[in-house]
């Protein structure tokens, strides 16, 4: 079964060779052109398919190869067998040189650098007349001598076909080798590649060099085949056709460029009889092929095959952490400080993570935890402070060096190499870049991964991504392991398993540094807890000490911040329901985050939704606002079904979300932000704007300023004002107090209290459970994607369920 | 009801189509005539002109029964103005379609790339346009390449001679298109000037899409150019005239035949008439009977042709028309469609009263160019019409 | 004199590159995609305007307006056929699809409009007025003025109109824009229409100085892409300024060093500038987030 593609390919090549041996001169030449185009395509595939870099200048390398051979053979009378390696070497060298500017740019900027390169080569050929023959090129390039006899076009065509076959095998081996895997790793996630110790610059330069060498080889054969070289054979359009070869065939696939070359070369021949209408039809047919197979023909076929493949599971059983560890080392952090555009994101962070212990870094959202991890991992360069791994200072070093020094990490949003298999993800991460499959399998067993070993990482369910990412981090054999919210979005059972896993990793002698919101995990497995608030450490100690620390309680629960007057709420909604949510399910990928939410909001109510981070609160809000689609179940506003509506239609029907993190339009003025809120209303009444200014007087003072310059609290007020401008029937507020100072939070909640008095119907999600409950009529508590408690605000506050959910007390 | 009608009409059409394709098959196999030229892109119009000249001649020949009892059939391929495409197309026509002779297009590099293939395959290759000198003087023996068109080398000598005689040129400035055609003439003009001991004021190049050539022209002006030698297609040539207008520089312009490629007056404005350019043929003015006949046939065949204004570029039509008739004569002389025999047939052509001139033994083993320097006419554009210089004051 | 004339030449051409590049900027800002065949859009503007003004004899104002309206429609079609089907699936095949569509359009025009270049002669475009002792076509002064005016109009549209602000909102935060009730797909479609209108306007402006044919846009489109990138494709004024700079530098190289070096030097400069400033001259770096 696995050999079938290779058998098919071998049969194709045998047929091509047989056909070329007997065909007339026209078909021989077409076959040779096809082979040369495929060669360039295979080379470009290294760049585009493996390392993810685009080049619209490959005709430049092709031209360099062709002209080197022509010049050496015609001008210097050298033999082909000397000219050929020279041509390949010169192309490869140019490729390596082009990589220098090309590595500094990405996306459209990279495209432009390569386009410019192609033009520089083409015009240099035109103008360097003494050597290149200028516009008229070089005629009469002799055929190569082989055993004293000149080769015929047929010989060259056959040789080229054999070379293509060899290049395909070589590409396939490269693709599966550690270098190929490194290229794909860089393509999938440059960040993660660095964090397993790969140096993207070296890898991309290699890809450019190899790719250019292939194009140079094809060019070197082109010269004697056609017998002439002129600049017009190396025009920009040819570069586009080369990219087309790879994209139509399927970038990254082994046989893609072959299929692509066949289409790009043979299709015009089939259409030749159309004479002047050929290009018209060629363009239209290409558009058609792209519509049918946007991932390329081979890419689409593979996708289809993948869906049909049987899963392969490991039989290795779990045991102790396999593989030898490096020498144990502690991570010592002292005075770590960084600011972004004047905002102090971390100030004087200091702690010590010891081998064999779990050290947790906790704090409310926006406290700077991930920023600290990014400084430790080398993605941000700290403004001040020291980081020592064992005896070695690592602050400010590039990420891949830090990774090689023994610090591994996982990410908040999974950064697996999505196009690679689970096994490949681990193999590439091992320090020798070619860890054995055996070692990888036992690591996967150790972390508790039971899935398909050959599944593409991008297709994994959420929980498996977490596990594989941890396994990959372990594959680097780290002394220190940083884990960024590994439990987010996991079910209760999975969380428990994860907690045990982290403990086992620590017990094996690794220093584990954990950033996590789930307090049950943190308090359950930590040896030492460090609490950050607004970028500053506010407490450190054992879990028990932290749970009782008043500063921590205040930062987390918003206690003792002066509650607004509590309002008497009813246990069930009074009056007719405005919003009815029934059996709502939503998720990312295979794993649902919301597992059947039932919820009602009546007109004029303020309802709070509470729960720990990762419980599904934000997903609920996004689902209600139409940002998260598709969802199952029912969302009805006054009987109108919203489940299938896109966001702008949901807004039109009267549900407006004030999103987490404010999301104001930073370059627009405050006034423009407010006015945009009324985008869907035909009449824009200045009186409405005025009423917003009355409600939030600070905004009036700042009305002409760019919203990006406002403070966090002002931005939050602006976001709420913007939401109110739509005159919503229901206002959804997602984490309005996030990252704000206590005094600002008090002002904000006072403003929300006034809204409540103005009979605006509100559904509120906030970390500050105490404040939210003080304001709300009723509340729901979500845990693990389900409603676990509901009732009047007082009932919920009294039950103590919250403290358990938030701080894992009791 | 409607579908029944549709089906019947499809059946009728299919029957008609079968009949149409079957009928010629009953007669002798047609003689295939190949054409490889640019049919799309910037030079599409030129390719169409060659097509029209060949088609008119083939229709005329077929109406009188063809040659050797066989009719002619034209098979065309688009080379997209690139040698690589042209080479494949030529091979297809020679080896797959098995054409008796192959016509080339207007791009010298494409023709130069095709020449070795034709000499190797021993199939005659006829150039109705591309003027590059080495196309016919390619050093092959036997040489299967013939041409019914101008030759750069000779045109360049003629340009210098004309300029010296009419404008007393001492220090010409060259403004050339940056493509192989421009390069070929740069070489030819340099040689011609060297032979006459003339040093140019400067040599400047322009691109096909240059909107404004004032910078190049200003350099030539400051270098003291007293005449401009211009080589470029109709578009860039018009940009030169417009740029001269803006600069207010009144200088004689002697040009290769580029301006004839389109509506030069429309593109360049009234001062288009300042440009004197070389032609092999003009449909304006008093025509000999052959000219009147061809004009009539063109108007009958192509509804968009209302008069000489619409026959652009005229050289393409005229050269192709005469070349096709010469080919027919060569095949007739050969008595076969075998390549080497046709080649011999070319040498046996006696007289032929063509459009451009009355040919008398146009080809010999030494001479493969039917048009000589005596056949060039110097013309200018007046109100979108090409008229011989001096006819209108 | 050489330098002055080169600068005037460069200003006219450069503003036209700028206009085309502005078209790249508009769609890139909103959707991170561009129409790689922007040259075809420019050509369509000139071809439509010629058809209405010369063949059908309309006055120039309605002819240009109608041509721009058709360009806008073409922009919507490009987005619908060659961008949306791919961008929606996260595929970058729109790169190739827009090129393919451009080939189709260029050739369709070749067979409908005609194979000959046509002169688009407008009385107000011909003639020469002296500026600093150098003859200049009125149009050469009009193009920079029109370029600045159109860039200004874009600025006004963005800053002062509801639709424009909606577009800016999508640029800055697509998700928050959706929460304002803004129909983001429609805004993207509108951005492509706007982009094509800019290209069409450039085509109409340049046509009387140049000529009209199916292939006229290719080289301009490519240079405009270089300009858009040099300016930093995320900055509207950046691409406009880069256009003028590129045009003037190109003309100065031609005037001072000779046309031999124009192409090599201008493209080599592109590489050097981008190596030194990886986000273009006025572009903003994207923030790296983990």
């Amino acid at each position: 079964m696995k050999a079938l593609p290779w058998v098919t390919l071998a049969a194709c090549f045998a047929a091509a060779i047989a056909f070329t041996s007997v065909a007339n001169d026209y078909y021989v030449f077409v076959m040779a052109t096809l082979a040369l185009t495929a060669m360039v395509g295979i080379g470009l595939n290294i760049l585009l398919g493996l390392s993810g870099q685009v080049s619209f200048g490959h005709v430049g390398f092709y031209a360099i190869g062709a002209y080197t051979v022509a010049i050496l053979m015609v001008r210097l009378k050298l033999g082909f067998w000397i000219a050929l390696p020279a041509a390949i070497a010169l192309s490869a060298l140019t490729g390596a040189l082009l990589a220098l500017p090309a590595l500094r740019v990405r996306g459209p900027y990279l495209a432009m650098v390569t386009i410019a390169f192609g033009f520089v080569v083409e015009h240099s050929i035109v103008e360097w007349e003494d050597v290149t023959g200028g516009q008229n090129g070089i005629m009469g390039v002799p055929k190569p001598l082989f055993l004293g006899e000149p080769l015929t076009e047929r010989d060259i065509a056959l040789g080229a076909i054999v070379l293509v076959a060899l290049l395909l095998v070589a590409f396939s081996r490269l693709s599966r080798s550690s270098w190929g895997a490194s290229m794909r790793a860089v393509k999938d996630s440059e960040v993660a590649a660095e964090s397993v110790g790969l140096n993207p610059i070296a890898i991309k330069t290699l890809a450019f060099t190899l790719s250019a060498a292939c194009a140079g080889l094809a060019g070197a054969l082109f010269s004697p085949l056609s017998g002439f070289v002129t600049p017009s054979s190396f025009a920009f359009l040819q570069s586009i056709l080369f990219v087309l070869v790879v994209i139509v065939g399927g970038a990254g696939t082994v046989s893609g460029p072959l299929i692509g070359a066949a289409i790009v070369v043979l299709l015009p021949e089939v259409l030749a009889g159309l004479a002047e209408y050929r290009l018209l039809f060629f363009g239209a047919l290409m558009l058609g092929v792209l519509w049918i197979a946007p991932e390329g023909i081979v890419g689409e076929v593979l996708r289809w095959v993948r869906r049909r493949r049987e899963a392969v599971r490991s039989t290795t059983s779990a045991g102790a952490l396999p593989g030898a560890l490096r020498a144990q080392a502690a991570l010592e952090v002292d005075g770590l400080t960084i600011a972004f555009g004047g905002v102090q994101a971390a100030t004087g962070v200091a702690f010590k993570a010891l081998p064999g212990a779990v050290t947790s870094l906790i704090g409310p959202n926006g406290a700077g935890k991930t920023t600290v991890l990014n400084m430790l991992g080398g993605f941000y360069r700290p403004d001040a402070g020291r980081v020592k791994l064992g005896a070695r200072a690592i602050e400010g070093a590039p990420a891949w060096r830090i990774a090689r020094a023994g610090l591994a990490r996982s990410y908040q949003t999974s950064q697996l190499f999505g196009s690679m298999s689970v096994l490949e993800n681990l193999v590439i991460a091992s320090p020798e870049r070619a860890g054995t499959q055996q070692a990888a399998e036992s690591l996967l067993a150790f972390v508790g991964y039971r899935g398909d070993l050959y599944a593409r990482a991008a297709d994994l369910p959420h929980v498996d991504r977490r596990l594989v990412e941890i396994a990959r981090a372990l594959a680097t054999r780290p002394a220190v392991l940083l884990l960024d919210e590994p439990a987010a979005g996991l079910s209760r059972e999975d969380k428990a398993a994860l907690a045990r896993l982290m403990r086992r990793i620590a017990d094996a002698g690794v220093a584990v540094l954990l950033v996590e919101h789930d307090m049950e995990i943190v308090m359950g497995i930590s040896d030492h807890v460090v609490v950050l608030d607004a970028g500053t450490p506010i407490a450190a100690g054992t879990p028990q000490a932290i749970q009782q620390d008043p500063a921590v309680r205040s930062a987390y629960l918003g206690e003792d911040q002066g509650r607004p007057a509590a309002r008497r709420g009813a246990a069930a909604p009074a009056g007719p329901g405005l919003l009815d949510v029934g059996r709502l399910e939503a998720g990312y990928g295979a794993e649902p985050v919301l597992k059947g939410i039932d919820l009602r909001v009546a007109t004029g109510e303020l309802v709070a939704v509470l729960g720990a981070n990762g419980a599904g609160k934000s997903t609920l809000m996004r689902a209600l606002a139409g940002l998260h689609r598709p969802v199952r179940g029912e969302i009805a506003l006054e009987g109108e079904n919203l489940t299938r509506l896109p966001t702008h239609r949901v807004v039109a029907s009267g549900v407006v979300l004030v999103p987490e993190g404010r999301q104001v339009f930073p370059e627009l003025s405050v006034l423009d932000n407010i006015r945009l809120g009324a985008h869907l209303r035909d009449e824009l009444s200045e009186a409405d704007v005025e009423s917003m200014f009355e409600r939030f007087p600070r905004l009036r003072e700042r009305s002409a300023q760019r919203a990006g310059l406002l403070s966090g609290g002002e931005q939050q007020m602006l976001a709420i004002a913007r939401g109110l401008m739509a005159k919503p029937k229901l206002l959804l507020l997602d984490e309005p107090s996030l990252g704000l100072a206590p005094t600002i939070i008090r002002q904000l909640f006072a403003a929300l209290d006034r809204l409540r008095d103005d009979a605006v119907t509100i559904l509120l999600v906030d970390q500050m459970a105490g404040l939210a409950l003080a304001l709300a009529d009723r509340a729901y508590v979500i845990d693990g994607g389900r409603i676990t408690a509901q009732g009047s605000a007082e009932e919920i506050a009294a039950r103590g369920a919250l403290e358990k959910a938030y701080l894992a007390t009791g | 009801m409607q579908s029944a009608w549709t089906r019947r009409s499809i059946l009728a059409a299919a029957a008609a189509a079968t009949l149409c394709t079957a009928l010629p098959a009953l007669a002798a196999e047609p003689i295939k005539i190949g054409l490889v030229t640019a049919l799309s892109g910037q030079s599409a119009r030129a390719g169409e002109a060659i097509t029209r000249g060949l088609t008119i001649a083939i229709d005329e020949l077929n109406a009188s029964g063809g040659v050797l009892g066989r009719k002619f059939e034209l098979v065309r391929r688009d080379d997209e103005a690139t040698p690589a495409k042209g080479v494949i197309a030529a091979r297809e026509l020679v080896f797959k379609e098995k054409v008796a002779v192959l016509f080339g297009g207007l791009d010298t590099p494409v023709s130069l790339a095709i020449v070795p293939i034709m000499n190797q395959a021993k199939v005659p290759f006829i150039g109705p346009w591309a003027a590059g000198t080495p196309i016919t003087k390619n050093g092959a023996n036997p040489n299967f390449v013939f041409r019914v068109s101008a030759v750069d080398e000779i045109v360049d000598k003629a340009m210098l001679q004309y300029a010296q005689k009419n404008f007393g040129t001492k220090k010409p400035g060259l403004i050339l298109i940056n493509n192989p055609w421009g390069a070929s003439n740069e070489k030819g003009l340099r040689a011609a000037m060297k032979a006459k001991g003339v040093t140019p004021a400067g040599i400047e190049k322009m691109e096909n899409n240059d909107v404004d050539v004032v910078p190049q022209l200003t350099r030539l002006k400051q270098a003291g150019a007293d005449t401009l030698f211009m080589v470029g297609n109709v578009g860039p040539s018009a940009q030169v005239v417009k740029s001269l207008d803006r600069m207010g520089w009144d200088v004689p312009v002697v040009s290769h035949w580029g301006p004839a490629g389109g509506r030069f007056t429309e593109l360049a404005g009234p001062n288009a008439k300042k440009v004197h350019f070389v032609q092999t043929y003009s449909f304006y003015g008093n025509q000999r009977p052959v000219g009147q006949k061809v004009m009539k046939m063109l108007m009958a065949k192509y509804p968009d042709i209302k008069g000489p204004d619409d026959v652009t570029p005229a050289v393409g039509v005229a050269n192709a028309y005469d070349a096709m008739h010469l080919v027919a004569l060569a095949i007739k002389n050969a008595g076969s469609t075998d390549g080497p025999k046709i080649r011999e047939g070319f040498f046996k052509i006696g007289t032929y009263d063509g459009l451009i001139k009355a040919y008398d033994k146009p080809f010999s083993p030494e001479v493969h160019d039917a048009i000589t320097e005596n056949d060039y006419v110097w013309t200018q554009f007046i109100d979108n019409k090409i008229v011989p210089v001096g006819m209108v004051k | 004199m050489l330098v002055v004339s080169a600068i005037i030449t460069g200003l006219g051409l450069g503003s036209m590159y700028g206009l085309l590049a502005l078209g790249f900027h508009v769609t890139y800002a909103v959707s991170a995609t561009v129409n790689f065949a922007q040259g075809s859009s420019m050509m369509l503007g000139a071809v439509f305007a010629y058809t209405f003004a010369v063949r059908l004899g309309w006055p120039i104002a309605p002819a240009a307006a109608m041509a721009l309206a058709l360009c806008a429609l073409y922009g919507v079609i490009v987005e619908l056929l060659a961008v949306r089907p791919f961008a929606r699936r996260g595929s970058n095949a729109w790169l190739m699809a827009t090129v393919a569509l451009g080939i189709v359009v260029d050739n369709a025009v070749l067979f409908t409009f005609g194979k000959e270049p046509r002169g688009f002669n407008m009385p107000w475009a011909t003639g020469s007025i002296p500026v600093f002792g150098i003859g200049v076509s009125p149009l050469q002064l009009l193009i920079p003025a029109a370029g600045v005016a159109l860039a200004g109009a874009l600025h006004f549209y963005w800053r002062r109109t509801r639709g424009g602000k909606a577009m800016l909102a999508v640029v800055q935060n697509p998700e928050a824009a959706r929460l304002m009730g803004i129909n983001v797909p429609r805004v993207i479609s509108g951005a492509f229409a706007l982009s094509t209108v800019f290209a069409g306007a450039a085509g109409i402006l340049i046509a009387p100085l140049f000529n009209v044919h199916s292939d006229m846009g290719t080289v301009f489109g490519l240079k405009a892409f270089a300009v858009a990138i040099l300016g930093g494709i995320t900055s509207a004024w950046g691409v406009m300024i880069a256009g003028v700079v590129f045009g003037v530098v190109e003309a100065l190289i031609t005037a001072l060093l000779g046309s031999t070096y124009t192409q090599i030097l201008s493209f080599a400069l592109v590489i050097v500038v981008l190596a030194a400033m990886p986000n273009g001259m006025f572009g903003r770096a994207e923030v790296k987030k983990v």
Side-chain angles (χ1 to χ4, degrees), chain B residues 72-315:
Chain B
F72 290 104
E73 183 191 328
L74 182 63
V75 192
R76 298 178 306 141
R77 293 294 180 261
D78 183 10
D79 65 24
E80 295 169 33
T82 58
K85 297 260 179 201
V87 165
I88 292 199
R91 283 168 196 265
E92 191 216 338
L93 291 182
V94 170
F95 298 112
K96 187 163 155 242
E97 294 293 334
K98 309 220 179 295
V99 296
V101 297
L102 183 68
F103 280 88
L106 73 156
D107 294 297
T108 293
V110 180
S111 291
L112 280 177
I114 293 177
V115 163
I117 302 172
M118 305 307 290
N119 279 329
Q120 213 171 13
K122 301 195 187 308
V123 174
F125 181 49
I126 295 97
W129 193 308
T133 315
I135 295 177
T136 42
K137 294 187 179 161
N138 53 49
N141 186 25
N143 181 0
F144 280 82
V145 184
F146 299 88
R147 172 159 50 195
V148 185
S149 181
V151 185
D152 283 340
E153 204 177 66
I154 305 174
V155 170
D156 294 332
K157 275 187 213 156
M159 280 168 72
L160 179 63
Q161 201 178 354
Y162 182 83
Q164 283 180 322
K165 188 174 145 208
N166 291 281
F167 306 114
T169 300
K170 301 215 160 41
K171 214 173 173 196
L174 278 58
I175 179 87
L176 310 170
I177 189 78
N178 190 11
N179 70 14
W181 185 41
S184 161
N185 284 289
E186 182 182 341
K187 202 174 156 200
L189 283 168
R190 276 181 194 274
M193 287 186 294
K194 199 174 172 194
K196 292 277 177 76
V198 176
T199 34
I203 299 176
E204 287 296 324
K205 293 179 188 172
M206 56 183 172
E207 297 293 324
N208 238 324
N209 269 290
D210 274 353
V211 174
D212 195 342
V213 268
V214 170
Q216 288 96 319
L217 294 176
T218 309
R219 278 172 71 88
L220 293 177
K221 188 180 182 185
Q222 292 194 336
D226 57 3
T227 310
L228 286 184
F229 288 153
M230 177 169 81
V231 178
N233 294 337
V234 61
S237 296
Q239 296 313 114
V240 169
V241 174
K242 285 199 266 189
S243 294
L244 285 175
D245 278 358
R246 275 203 295 280
M247 293 166 66
W249 186 19
D250 190 13
V251 61
V253 183
V254 177
S255 168
H256 206 306
W257 61 13
R263 299 158 194 270
F264 194 51
T265 310
E266 177 184 307
L267 293 171
N271 278 332
K273 64 173 181 291
K274 284 204 304 200
V275 178
H276 292 198
F277 59 96
V278 73
Q279 282 288 274
T280 51
Y281 189 71
S282 165
F283 280 98
Y284 294 99
N286 288 331
Q287 294 284 316
R288 295 189 301 133
V290 185
Q292 291 168 12
K293 179 182 71 181
V294 170
M295 198 61 227
K296 244 184 245 160
M297 286 191 294
L298 280 169
M299 281 158 58
K301 177 96 182 173
Y302 301 103
D304 62 311
I305 295 183
K306 311 269 191 297
D309 288 16
D310 305 307
V311 187
T312 58
V315 285

Side-chain angles (χ1 to χ4, degrees), chain A residues 24-27 29-30 33 123 126-127 135-136 139 153 225 228 230 232-233 268-269 272-273 275-276 278-279, chain B residues 39-40 76-78 80-85 87-88 91-92 95-96 109 112-113 178-180 183-184 205 207:
Chain A
N24 68 36
D25 281 13
Y26 161 60
Y27 289 113
F29 198 79
V30 170
T33 309
H123 286 282
V126 169
E127 302 301 345
Q135 288 282 11
N136 289 314
M139 294 287 155
E153 280 174 12
L225 173 76
F228 68 90
T230 66
S232 46
S233 300
E269 294 310 309
E276 59 259 57
R278 172 168 73 176
L279 264 182
Chain B
L39 294 170
S40 61
R76 298 178 306 141
R77 293 294 180 261
D78 183 10
E80 295 169 33
T82 58
K85 297 260 179 201
V87 165
I88 292 199
R91 283 168 196 265
E92 191 216 338
F95 298 112
K96 187 163 155 242
L112 280 177
N178 190 11
N179 70 14
S184 161
K205 293 179 188 172
E207 297 293 324

Side-chain angles (χ1 to χ4, degrees), chain B residues 146 326 329-336 340-352 360-365 367:
Chain B
F146 299 88
L326 292 170
L329 288 173
I331 295 177
K332 197 171 157 193
N333 293 340
S336 129
K341 286 192 181 141
I342 299 178
R343 176 174 171 271
E344 294 297 323
F346 274 108
F347 304 140
K348 290 182 201 149
I349 297 173
T351 57
Y352 158 61
D360 186 12
K361 293 192 191 307
F363 299 111
S364 71
V367 179

Side-chain angles (χ1 to χ4, degrees), chain A residues 26-235:
Chain A
Y26 161 60
Y27 289 113
V28 167
F29 198 79
V30 170
M31 289 306 286
T33 309
L34 170 57
L36 297 189
T37 310
M39 269 180 219
V40 183
I42 292 168
L44 192 55
N45 200 19
I46 298 176
L47 201 61
L48 195 64
L50 292 185
S51 82
Q53 312 257 93
V54 74
S55 165
F56 282 106
H58 253 53
V59 81
F61 301 119
Y62 191 58
I64 288 172
Y67 266 90
T68 308
V69 165
I71 291 167
L72 292 184
M73 288 183 79
V74 176
R75 300 258 192 273
L76 302 180
K77 309 284 176 215
L78 292 175
F80 177 74
W81 304 108
I82 299 169
L84 177 71
I88 298 172
L90 190 60
S91 303
L93 182 68
T94 318
L97 285 178
L98 181 65
L100 292 179
L103 284 175
R104 291 178 50 80
V105 292
R106 41 188 82 228
Y109 297 92
L110 175 62
M112 190 61 232
V113 166
T114 55
I115 289 174
F117 165 74
F119 273 97
V120 170
V121 171
E122 186 191 340
H123 286 282
S124 302
I125 291 171
V126 169
E127 302 301 345
W128 199 13
E129 215 174 322
D130 298 340
V131 176
T132 61
Q135 288 282 11
N136 289 314
I138 299 172
M139 294 287 155
V141 180
K143 298 275 181 272
L145 294 179
F146 186 70
L147 303 177
E149 287 291 309
L151 294 175
T152 62
E153 280 174 12
R154 201 182 301 277
D155 299 334
I156 298 177
L158 289 171
I161 293 171
V162 172
L163 269 177
V164 169
L166 293 176
L167 282 177
L168 274 187
V169 174
F171 177 88
S172 161
R173 300 193 74 145
L174 171 73
S175 164
R176 280 177 294 146
S177 77
S178 60
W179 278 106
S182 308
M183 288 177 195
R184 279 182 293 152
V186 168
K187 178 193 180 192
D188 284 354
S189 166
E190 209 169 318
V191 164
E194 286 191 64
S195 74
V196 297
L198 299 174
N199 177 356
I201 294 184
I203 290 161
K204 286 183 184 174
T205 307
L206 179 76
F208 255 102
T209 310
L210 290 180
S211 183
C214 284
L217 166 66
L221 294 175
F222 171 82
S223 274
L225 173 76
S226 62
F228 68 90
V229 283
T230 66
S232 46
S233 300
F234 306 105

Side-chain angles (χ1 to χ4, degrees), chain C residues 124-142:
Chain C
W124 38 270
T126 49
S128 151
I129 44 177
V131 175
F132 298 117
I134 289 163
V136 175
S137 153
L139 202 56
Q140 278 181 300
L141 302 177
L142 182 66

Side-chain angles (χ1 to χ4, degrees), chain A residues 104 109 112 119 127 236 276 280 284 290-291 294 411 622 647-648 663 665-667 672 679-681 722, chain C residues 81 86 89 97 104 111 162 165 169 172-173 175-176 178-181 183 222 226 229 233 260 275 278 290:
Chain A
R104 291 178 50 80
Y109 297 92
M112 190 61 232
F119 273 97
E127 302 301 345
F236 174 57
E276 59 259 57
L280 181 70
L290 290 171
W291 274 330
Y411 297 86
R622 294 173 59 82
T647 311
H648 65 272
Q663 316 263 358
F665 302 110
E667 303 288 316
D672 280 343
H679 180 76
L680 283 184
R681 289 167 52 202
R722 193 178 62 175
Chain C
L81 293 188
F86 307 104
R89 302 173 54 164
V104 170
F111 299 118
R162 210 166 70 145
K165 278 179 193 165
Q172 293 175 28
N173 192 331
E175 190 167 291
R178 283 160 74 190
L179 290 172
M180 301 300 106
N183 185 343
L222 204 69
I229 296 299
I233 195 164
T260 312
V290 184

Side-chain angles (χ1 to χ4, degrees), chain A residues 210-283:
Chain A
L210 290 180
S211 183
C214 284
L217 166 66
L221 294 175
F222 171 82
S223 274
L225 173 76
S226 62
F228 68 90
V229 283
T230 66
S232 46
S233 300
F234 306 105
F236 174 57
L237 186 69
Q238 192 61 43
S239 278
I240 291 191
L241 287 181
F242 286 148
V243 178
L244 192 63
V245 163
V246 179
I247 288 189
V248 161
T253 62
V254 173
S255 53
L258 195 63
I259 308 284
I263 291 177
V264 170
V265 172
L266 298 185
L267 188 59
E269 294 310 309
V270 174
L271 299 178
L274 292 170
E276 59 259 57
Y277 300 103
R278 172 168 73 176
L279 264 182
L280 181 70
F281 278 82
F282 180 71

